[in-house]
Amino acid sequence: MNTLIKVARYHLVDRIQFVVLPIGVTFFAFFVNLAIFSLLPETPEENYSGGLATMYVFMLVCGALSMTKSLPFGLALGVSRRSYYLGTVLLITGLSALYSVGIAVFQAIEEGTGGWGLGLHYFRVPWLLDGSWYLTLLTSFVLLALMFVYGMWYGLIYRRAAVVGVVLFSAAQVLVALGGVLVLSWTDSWSKLGAFFSTLTVGGMTGVLALLVCVAGAGGFATMRRVTV
């Protein structure tokens, strides 16, 4: 455990990447949304901006950078691949918990102020972050972890096979998605899929996201064992 904590602290040497920029970009987008909606002559009572997606996208980027920019020097310090990977997972567990608490707190403030006085829902996302505070806390935690771990997997693919590997990895996912679309079309199952998602609660969606975290984490760990530096 001490080694994992050291790996997490190793990443936090670059606090700008892991702390300052994710928070800064999120609030920059927030203030841009506030400025835009304050200038509109009429605003709807329930407006969802979607600007919170900036934080999740940035976590994806941070995950990729943790396995590209920081990996060679980390392994040069004598850290094993397993310890480096698990230590990075420990880091993102802590950061995801911290950021999800912040999202839940600002969501509560947003509700209490009537959408910042503008009917703006920046920290509340329909269907995904749209339940009780504890569901927002849990779902945002799982989604942040998913984006970071998925980014880690991409970073490891890049370390293993450079740009060609990233392109092939992306193409494989597109083909899997296309295969799913074709199967649903051939079996006339679109209505069943729609019915499934329509009955899926926020908690159920969190469970689906948690499953994806496990898949991405396992895939990244398997790739990590074959990475050459």
Side-chain angles (χ1 to χ4, degrees), residues 29-43 118 120:
F30 171 61
F31 288 121
V32 168
N33 277 269
L34 280 182
I36 292 173
F37 284 94
S38 65
L39 296 174
L40 293 177
E42 295 183 5
T43 56
L118 300 170
L120 172 63

Side-chain angles (χ1 to χ4, degrees), residues 15-154:
R15 289 181 176 85
I16 292 179
Q17 174 183 315
F18 290 98
V19 180
V20 177
L21 285 179
I23 295 175
V25 168
T26 300
F27 278 100
F28 175 76
F30 171 61
F31 288 121
V32 168
N33 277 269
L34 280 182
I36 292 173
F37 284 94
S38 65
L39 296 174
L40 293 177
E42 295 183 5
T43 56
E45 294 182 0
E46 297 292 330
N47 182 73
Y48 297 91
S49 72
L52 189 61
T54 54
M55 168 167 275
Y56 297 98
V57 172
F58 208 89
M59 294 303 284
L60 176 74
V61 174
C62 286
L65 290 177
S66 69
M67 294 293 138
T68 54
K69 185 177 72 173
S70 307
L71 177 62
F73 187 67
L75 297 185
L77 293 175
V79 179
S80 67
R81 286 170 171 76
R82 177 179 179 275
S83 295
Y84 185 91
Y85 190 87
L86 295 179
T88 308
V89 170
L90 177 64
L91 168 70
I92 194 50
T93 300
L95 290 180
S96 296
L98 176 65
Y99 295 154
S100 60
V101 168
I103 290 171
V105 169
F106 278 97
Q107 188 183 96
I109 297 174
E110 186 172 83
E111 288 296 310
T113 58
W116 314 101
L118 300 170
L120 172 63
H121 292 284
Y122 182 86
F123 293 94
R124 180 172 292 278
V125 180
W127 191 51
L128 194 59
L129 302 179
D130 200 22
S132 303
W133 66 268
Y134 56 88
L135 286 176
T136 293
L137 188 68
L138 180 61
T139 305
S140 58
F141 170 78
V142 174
L143 186 55
L144 286 166
L146 172 61
M147 296 302 289
F148 194 95
V149 172
Y150 188 48
M152 287 170 60
W153 198 2
Y154 260 99

Side-chain angles (χ1 to χ4, degrees), residues 154-179:
Y154 260 99
L156 289 168
I157 293 292
Y158 178 80
R159 294 299 315 180
R160 182 71 177 88
V163 176
V164 174
V166 172
V167 171
L168 292 176
F169 182 54
S170 301
Q173 294 174 81
V174 171
L175 290 176
V176 170
L178 179 60

